[in-house]
Amino acid sequence: MTTKSDADETVDVLVAGSAGALAGAYTAAREGLSVAIVEATDQFGGTFAYSGGGGMWYPCNPVLVRAGSDDTIDEALRYYRSVVGDRTPAELQETYVRGGAALIEYLEQDDHFAFKILPWPDYYSSVPGARNDGMRHTVCKGVPDERLGRFQGQVRGPLDHERLGEPQPDFLTGGRAVVGRFLWAMADNPAVTAYLNTSLVELTVEDGRVTGGVVESQGERRTIRARRGVLLAAGGFEQNAEMRAEYGVPGTASGTMGAPGNTGLAHKAAIAAGASTDLMDQAWWSPGLIHPDGRAAFALCFTGGIFVDKAGHRFVNESAAYDRLGRQILSAMRDGTVGTPYWMVYDSRAGEQPPVMATNVSFSPTSEYESAGLWVQADTLEELAVKIGVPEANLVETVCRFNVLAQRGDDEDFGRGRESFDRAFTGGASPLVPIDTPPFRAAAFGTSDLGTKGGLRTDVDARVLDAEDRPIPGLYAAGNTMAAVSGETYPGGGNPIGASLLFSHLAALHMARS
Ligand SMILES: Cc1cc2nc3c(=O)[nH]c(=O)nc-3n(C[C@H](O)[C@H](O)[C@H](O)COP(=O)(O)OP(=O)(O)OC[C@H]3O[C@@H](n4cnc5c(N)ncnc54)[C@H](O)[C@@H]3O)c2cc1C
């Protein structure tokens, strides 16, 4: 299937990236096309491989239906439209909300895939159509690495391996399982070639059609011609400090959770070929717990504690979903009321660690945070205020007020606990936990992101559009290389991975038809 021509290699489909991109590669191969996958780094999986859950937001998919879910696509659409609004095209939103179920059905026809439910509530619990029982969220079942054949030992992550040097587990779970299952499904297919340490750096264009890509490996460039098209699902540009600055993405490359190869080369190649972009200043946001290496990491599921600003006042609902919370923190940073770091104030009722259920990067020993000045403790709130540099009287007043609200069980100030999502990680109990058990403690936080989400504008077949809304023949995009269908929101866990897989799959189906 793979032939040599004036190019160094000719295939039907060239795919850049190896996370959501794998759904495109797999689909193309299953539809009888030859595929070349290029991955910039020395491992497959990108940011998918960092996700402990690897969740996919696919309402009404067969796994959920079999479990008896009474959800409907109309309700899911109502929710998605209400959250995202008109920021992205309605037809793109509808394609995503409807498409996940069909994708799971397609994959379940192949024994390499197996899914299960991981209940995870929608992130805007009070919006019409929200599903608060978590029944829109599905994950892949785990898979042993040894099943991956020629791809064995080549899946990135997890985070504790890369950041803390923990051993790499040889049973793939979460996002690694998604990646692993796609690689397993393609391992014996001779029509699929895959190159690590190989970046797509340019697109070749003939008579207005994208005909392939120039790829670079160890300083050498070669051309891969793609008869049907090129799929760019190469993540965001969160690791590229210059691009972050150029497009006004807050935060830093060191605080991102995006995979190391996500430097925006695919975005640049597409822009040079005439692609138009949107949402370029956007990312999937979260508060970031600062670890002893100085890097803030995506932290979620807070079961207590309060965030305080420079004045020692609360400023947000600390239990809101991480992207909503991250956006409010960034807004307060822009106003100048919140600095870096800002502090989570908590007490000793549950020990030394801040009340964070999911750190993504595991806690290091307490002494390491203390010696880096990231965690402090004091017998009184006044002393704690001095240590974190906020006015003493204000911190005392803030904590007293919070304790009164906690006793009443209603956060009149920021509504914490009023939405169902706020109680998802406390088993339904109020997240208003009094701060009254000395020694009092504070942990330093910054901002983090899960990757940028601005990119190439596409139609419902994932075809990349030019500035006049015309598809550029032969060019497709998905995942964080595509302008996100969710616009400036994060409607629910499983949106980034779900949309990346789905639009990659749709791109490949379109190429197979064309
Ligand atoms: C801890 C954590 C947990 C998360 N959990 C979830 C979850 O449960 N559900 C969910 O939906 N989302 C989750 N996310 C977000 C999600 O993982 C990312 O948004 C998603 O991985 C983006 O997918 P992608 O396919 O766009 O790219 P990525 O997963 O970022 O992969 C892009 C790949 O492309 C490669 N690449 C880049 N440039 C080039 C190039 N020019 N040529 C060739 N290759 C290139 C990169 O090296 C990388 O391997 C989580 C994120 C984190 C950090």
Side-chain angles (χ1 to χ4, degrees):
M1 294 288 282
T2 303
T3 57
K4 297 276 173 190
S5 69
D6 52 331
D8 300 297
E9 181 178 342
T10 299
V11 289
D12 293 320
V13 176
L14 170 61
V15 172
S18 68
L22 295 178
Y26 165 80
T27 303
R30 181 163 147 182
E31 299 300 320
L33 305 179
S34 60
V35 182
I37 303 167
V38 293
E39 162 52 50
T41 68
D42 61 354
Q43 286 166 310
F44 299 110
T47 316
F48 266 43
Y50 291 160
S51 169
M56 294 160 268
W57 193 88
Y58 289 154
C60 304
N61 76 62
V63 184
L64 301 166
V65 172
R66 283 197 298 272
S69 168
D70 62 355
D71 198 11
T72 65
I73 285 291
D74 284 348
E75 274 299 278
L77 252 177
R78 193 153 84 103
Y79 172 70
Y80 205 81
R81 292 280 300 134
S82 307
V83 171
V84 180
D86 294 328
R87 184 63 184 83
T88 61
E91 64 274 16
L92 211 56
Q93 295 180 29
E94 186 160 351
T95 299
Y96 172 50
V97 174
R98 290 189 187 281
L103 175 57
I104 296 287
E105 199 179 324
Y106 181 86
L107 295 176
E108 281 195 324
Q109 291 161 6
D110 180 337
D111 289 342
H112 293 98
F113 295 94
F115 301 94
K116 61 181 181 179
I117 298 167
L118 176 67
W120 198 261
D122 285 340
Y123 288 171
Y124 293 75
S125 324
S126 306
V127 162
R131 192 86 207 181
N132 296 322
D133 63 359
M135 289 293 276
R136 286 177 177 152
H137 191 256
T138 303
V139 298
C140 270
K141 289 186 180 167
V143 63
D145 186 42
E146 65 190 17
R147 296 236 180 109
L148 271 53
R150 64 174 151 142
F151 299 121
Q152 184 178 351
Q154 295 178 9
V155 178
R156 171 174 298 289
L159 278 166
D160 278 0
H161 170 68
E162 297 205 348
R163 293 216 187 171
L164 301 176
E166 295 294 323
Q168 201 166 23
D170 53 16
F171 187 77
L172 310 179
T173 58
R176 299 181 83 219
V178 182
V179 172
R181 284 182 178 276
F182 277 108
L183 290 174
W184 178 28
M186 292 187 282
D188 293 331
N189 190 336
V192 177
T193 45
Y195 302 99
L196 290 171
N197 297 309
T198 304
S199 297
L200 181 135
V201 291
E202 257 174 54
L203 292 164
T204 54
V205 184
E206 292 166 31
D207 300 327
R209 180 181 178 86
V210 170
T211 53
V214 177
V215 301
E216 187 173 300
S217 183
Q218 293 170 335
E220 302 233 325
R221 291 191 170 200
R222 65 194 176 93
T223 303
I224 301 180
R225 195 173 174 84
R227 286 181 285 246
R228 301 292 179 104
V230 178
L231 168 61
L232 305 176
F237 55 87
E238 58 273 4
Q239 292 287 359
N240 185 327
E242 263 175 39
M243 280 181 81
R244 288 184 83 111
E246 180 184 349
Y247 292 107
V249 181
T252 61
S254 77
T256 187
M257 304 298 288
N262 291 355
T263 57
L265 284 175
H267 287 74
K268 285 185 180 171
I271 291 166
S276 62
T277 59
D278 194 15
L279 296 162
M280 292 296 276
D281 59 349
Q282 295 292 310
W284 310 93
W285 300 111
S286 80
L289 174 72
I290 305 179
H291 288 275
D293 63 0
R295 296 178 67 183
F298 169 28
L300 69 161
C301 312
F302 304 144
T303 52
I306 55 172
F307 283 136
V308 294
D309 64 13
K310 287 178 185 168
H313 295 136
R314 280 181 76 208
F315 61 99
V316 282
N317 165 9
E318 297 87 349
S319 293
Y322 44 92
D323 181 72
R324 294 174 70 180
L325 189 48
R327 284 171 189 277
Q328 282 184 279
I329 292 164
L330 286 170
S331 160
M333 284 179 167
R334 276 192 295 271
D335 293 348
T337 53
V338 167
T340 306
Y342 57 99
W343 297 88
M344 175 182 273
V345 173
Y346 58 106
D347 68 8
S348 293
R349 66 180 53 232
E352 299 169 331
Q353 292 178 346
V356 179
M357 268 176 71
T359 54
N360 289 305
V361 175
S362 293
F363 282 123
S364 294
T366 298
S367 58
E368 292 184 23
Y369 294 91
E370 286 176 345
S371 53
L374 296 168
W375 292 2
V376 293
Q377 58 161 307
D379 290 332
T380 65
L381 286 167
E382 287 85 347
E383 284 171 62
L384 191 75
V386 172
K387 288 188 174 174
I388 63 174
V390 303
E392 295 162 52
N394 287 3
L395 186 66
V396 173
E397 189 196 317
T398 296
V399 172
C400 286
R401 166 82 182 153
F402 181 73
N403 289 347
V404 169
L405 298 175
Q407 205 174 18
R408 284 190 210 148
D410 185 28
D411 179 10
E412 288 165 25
D413 297 346
F414 296 98
R416 184 179 189 180
R418 287 185 181 171
E419 282 197 29
S420 144
F421 179 87
D422 300 357
R423 295 168 180 257
F425 307 102
T426 51
S430 171
L432 306 174
V433 182
I435 298 170
D436 58 8
T437 310
F440 298 102
R441 300 177 181 275
F445 274 71
T447 54
S448 184
D449 64 68
L450 285 57
T452 54
K453 63 187 309 201
L456 316 176
R457 292 171 58 244
T458 66
D459 69 5
V460 296
D461 288 311
R463 292 185 297 174
V464 173
L465 302 174
D466 68 13
E468 271 78 49
D469 280 352
R470 291 172 309 212
I472 299 174
L475 187 59
Y476 300 79
N480 287 345
T481 314
M482 162 188 171
V485 57
S486 55
E488 297 183 8
T489 69
Y490 197 146
N495 266 250
I497 286 179
S500 185
L501 293 170
L502 178 68
F503 284 100
S504 291
H505 168 71
L506 294 176
L509 287 182
H510 189 270
M511 284 188 254
R513 287 197 303 270
S514 58

